[in-house]
């Protein structure tokens, strides 16, 4: 049985999705400019983690429809 999210829950998930998408965009852009290897590794990990979060959030929204 699928559960529907309440409207405010859907909006909150969508807001987090928007934030994570922004993080991936900014992180990817910054990767081109960063020269420090430690910082580059942190940014790469953040982009990867945020991408995974985006996929999970999309699944949540799809299931809730």
């Amino acid at each position: 049985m699928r559960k529907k999210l309440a409207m405010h829950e859907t909006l909150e998930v969508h807001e987090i999705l928007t934030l994570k998408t922004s993080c991936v965009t900014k992180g990817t852009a910054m990767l081109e400019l960063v020269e420090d290897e430690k910082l580059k590794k942190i940014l790469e990990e953040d982009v990867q983690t945020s991408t995974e979060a985006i996929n999970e959030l999309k699944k949540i929204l799809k299931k809730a429809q």
Side-chain angles (χ1 to χ4, degrees), residues 2-6 9-14 16-17 52-65:
R2 290 194 322 191
K3 288 187 177 181
K4 269 191 96 106
L5 295 177
E9 293 170 326
T10 302
L11 292 172
E12 288 175 12
V13 172
H14 190 270
I16 296 168
L17 178 60
E52 291 169 6
I54 287 169
N55 292 332
E56 288 297 316
L57 290 166
K58 285 180 179 180
K59 287 178 188 176
I60 291 169
L61 287 175
K62 188 175 181 179
K63 286 181 182 178
Q65 292 180 352

Side-chain angles (χ1 to χ4, degrees), residues 10-48:
T10 302
L11 292 172
E12 288 175 12
V13 172
H14 190 270
E15 185 176 346
I16 296 168
L17 178 60
T18 302
L19 173 66
K20 284 298 181 186
T21 302
S22 176
C23 289
V24 168
T25 302
K26 187 173 182 178
T28 302
M30 296 304 291
L31 278 171
E32 302 297 321
L33 304 173
V34 172
E35 295 177 8
D36 183 75
E37 288 304 315
K38 286 183 181 180
L39 180 55
K40 188 171 243 182
K41 183 166 174 50
I42 291 169
L43 282 171
E44 287 170 346
E45 289 173 2
D46 183 59
V47 168
Q48 177 64 33

